[in-house]
Amino acid sequence: MSVDQKMDSSRRTLLLATSAAGGVAAVATAVPFVASLTPSERAKAAGAPVEVDVSKLAPGEMMTVEWRGKPVWILRRTPEMLASLEQTEGRVSDPDSAKPMQPAYAQNKHRSIKPEYLIAVGICTHLGCSPSEKFKMGAESGMGADWPGGFLCPCHGSIFDLAGRVYSSMPAPDNLEIPPHHYLADTTILVGEDGKA
């Protein structure tokens, strides 16, 4: 072997070693960068469905859970509350829920799978305020003698019935949103995911 061949062999070895080290460095740099593009566990949880146990919810009571950063109301309606939906039918702007503010399975007068439970996003469709509950009927609620019960948005005065339907001539343009949901058991609801058909 001549001196030139030995030098060429050394260069080749150095070139291969340098290339290998550069490749390892590139992969070591790329892996954390690519991993940073995947959503965090917190972000995954924010959009994940929420399982809710409603077994302790008494008739006439409401609970709030968080789904996708929004308050979701679960109201267990009494027979009187359900009967009040008949009274409000002529006063609400979308009594048949024709606008797509709910899944197809909740496009009915009570806007729910089971009439007893209302599951609605607790955000006014006007400017995003959170309406307050005004479940007491009549003058006792502070809403007038003929008040059948429902929700009042304190920001601009939009009024919703106990199915989340907005009254006519209110600032809110639409009914309250009904999120996708289904029953895992008789008293367990999964909010954020439609049932498997």
Side-chain angles (χ1 to χ4, degrees), residues 85 88-89 92 118 149-151 159-167:
L85 298 179
T88 59
E89 195 98 0
V92 295
L118 169 67
F151 303 95
I159 301 171
F160 301 88
D161 72 358
L162 291 166
R165 301 178 298 183
V166 67
Y167 278 62

Side-chain angles (χ1 to χ4, degrees), residues 22-62:
V24 168
V27 168
T29 303
V31 167
F33 176 71
V34 170
S36 73
L37 298 177
T38 61
S40 67
E41 290 303 315
R42 184 176 176 190
K44 288 179 191 172
V50 178
E51 190 173 315
V52 185
D53 178 15
V54 295
S55 61
K56 292 182 174 70
L57 196 61
E61 288 185 346
M62 184 175 82

Side-chain angles (χ1 to χ4, degrees), residues 9 12 18 75 91 121 180:
S9 175
R12 190 168 283 139
T18 305
L75 170 64
R91 297 193 231 174
V121 175

